Amino acid sequence: MDETNTAKPVTLHIDEREVTVPAGTTIMHAAETIGIHIPRLCYHPDLSLLGACRVCIVEVQGMDHYPASCSVTVADGMEVRTGSPVIRQARRDIVELLLDNHHWDCQTCERDGHCELQNLAYSMGVRERFFEGERKRFPLENSGRSVARDSEKCILCGRCYRVCGEVQGVHNLSQQYRGFHTIVTPAYGANMDDSVCIQCGQCINVCPTAAFLEKNSTDAVWAALADPDKHVVVQTAPSIRAAIGEGFDLPPGTPCTGKMITALRRLGFDAVFDTDLGADLTIMEEANEFLHRLEAGGPLPILTSCSSGWINFWKSSFRNSFPSRPPAGRP
């Protein structure tokens, strides 16, 4: 028997507008079907529902509290208000409290103009900070190879440790301690390089503020370019020739090889190389190892990859899966 969802659709009212959606739909998604955007911070479409930031609260008739619209499902006959005066003020209070416990370097922060917390504050009309008492204080961890972690800018939305565990399968990050001392960190407060972090950067991609950032080497590059005694070479990854165009609002996949090389030479690089030859050799080696694995009939993992993140992942999480010696017949 084909088991399909036979639950009746749910009809409710959102801001006095009738809407019918499938059973199990969240209030947030139901509102979006009629063009109503509910502000949010911790919500991410590819991650589990947490309801931690409380920015997406709404008013539901008959409820004695304001539920988080990202994690509460609709019910038949529900009356929801997403923008009543009391809800707008409550949301603003939440954002103000997040800002009061946040770093004060917005104008010099690398996420200035692209920070979700900053954009929310602007759209809600928050123009001053009212609380000047104690706030969280954590040192900047900037000693790693790829990831810089600034916990003073963390709003505890949980996106980073959810993507680390649910998408990447690494489970390197978690919330530890309580109150002002709550911090997202690897186990035992270790630095990123001393943990099982694979340097994939997914925590950076989903962070709404600047609690996680890619390690910035811009100043070192400028210094090298300014040194007349140095022959400076840049080597780009194969995907960059197309991906770089998206940063300039070009359609995804637009070839930009010539423009990229010209721009790099004008910046002062003496030579520009592409990694495509090395990548092709790596792909051939991967295919060769895969054939040997099939011939051997054993679970021999592919040990080569163009991605250092994948190599780190295998070494940190599946070290015991690596064979101590090649299978019989393999060179």
Side-chain angles (χ1 to χ4, degrees):
M1 180 178 179
D2 183 20
E3 294 184 4
T4 57
N5 185 9
T6 58
K8 291 183 178 180
V10 174
T11 299
L12 67 157
H13 287 83
I14 301 178
D15 294 340
E16 300 183 352
R17 295 173 60 185
E18 184 175 283
V19 56
T20 300
V21 293
T25 304
T26 63
I27 297 175
M28 176 183 289
H29 289 148
E32 289 177 346
T33 63
I34 56 174
I36 298 175
H37 175 79
I38 300 175
R40 74 289 301 264
L41 273 176
C42 71
Y43 172 79
H44 192 284
D46 297 328
L47 304 177
S48 60
L49 301 176
L50 188 62
C53 71
R54 315 310 294 176
V55 172
C56 70
I57 56 172
V58 293
E59 187 178 7
V60 178
Q61 185 175 349
M63 286 191 178
D64 58 359
H65 65 284
Y66 303 141
S69 62
C70 70
S71 56
V72 174
T73 56
V74 297
D76 209 38
M78 184 180 277
E79 297 280 346
V80 179
R81 295 181 182 84
T82 68
S84 63
V86 66
I87 282 296
R88 290 201 305 270
Q89 185 60 52
R91 282 201 198 114
R92 179 168 173 156
D93 291 344
I94 291 170
V95 172
E96 286 176 351
L97 288 171
L98 287 172
L99 286 171
D100 290 335
N101 197 31
H102 202 69
H103 210 289
W104 285 53
D105 67 341
C106 287
Q107 284 135 335
T108 56
C109 177
E110 290 191 45
R111 283 285 179 88
D112 184 26
H114 300 281
C115 171
E116 294 182 37
L117 178 61
Q118 184 186 56
N119 293 340
L120 267 181
Y122 178 81
S123 65
M124 292 181 180
V126 179
R127 300 294 180 266
E128 56 185 317
R129 304 194 185 200
F130 296 99
F131 181 72
E132 297 182 358
E134 180 184 358
R135 71 170 179 86
K136 59 187 176 187
R137 301 280 182 176
F138 296 106
L140 173 67
E141 186 203 328
N142 197 30
S143 59
R145 290 166 291 168
S146 305
V147 182
R149 183 164 57 97
D150 189 348
S151 296
E152 288 196 17
K153 297 179 180 178
C154 176
I155 60 172
L156 302 178
C157 67
R159 286 188 188 180
C160 56
Y161 61 76
R162 281 183 287 160
V163 74
C164 186
E166 297 170 10
V167 177
Q168 295 302 99
V170 179
H171 302 279
N172 180 52
L173 300 169
S174 64
Q175 282 191 11
Q176 300 183 31
Y177 310 113
R178 296 182 178 182
F180 282 115
H181 304 291
T182 305
I183 185 174
V184 175
T185 176
Y188 309 109
N191 292 335
M192 297 294 281
D193 280 5
D194 296 329
S195 67
V196 296
C197 174
I198 64 173
Q199 315 288 335
C200 67
Q202 291 300 325
C203 54
I204 301 171
N205 289 338
V206 300
C207 180
T209 57
F212 287 92
L213 285 174
E214 184 178 357
K215 189 70 175 292
N216 191 342
S217 301
T218 306
D219 290 339
V221 173
W222 283 122
L225 291 173
D227 189 341
D229 297 325
K230 282 189 176 180
H231 183 83
V232 187
V233 175
V234 60
Q235 183 168 322
T236 64
S239 62
I240 300 301
R241 64 169 71 97
I244 195 172
E246 296 181 41
F248 298 93
D249 298 325
L250 296 176
T254 302
C256 297
T257 308
K259 294 182 176 66
M260 178 185 67
I261 294 174
T262 301
L264 290 170
R265 292 302 299 269
R266 287 185 177 179
L267 285 172
F269 288 98
D270 297 297
V272 181
F273 291 102
D274 197 309
T275 319
D276 54 359
L277 175 60
D280 289 342
L281 293 175
T282 301
I283 293 170
M284 293 171 64
E285 176 63 17
E286 287 176 344
N288 184 54
E289 291 189 12
F290 182 69
L291 289 175
H292 280 298
R293 181 177 65 172
L294 292 178
E295 292 171 0
L300 178 65
I302 298 176
L303 307 182
T304 60
S305 173
C306 298
S307 169
S308 57
W310 275 113
I311 294 175
N312 288 336
F313 181 50
W314 277 105
K315 287 183 177 180
S316 63
S317 301
F318 300 96
R319 185 178 299 274
N320 294 332
S321 299
F322 284 84
S324 57
R325 64 177 184 272
R330 182 180 178 187

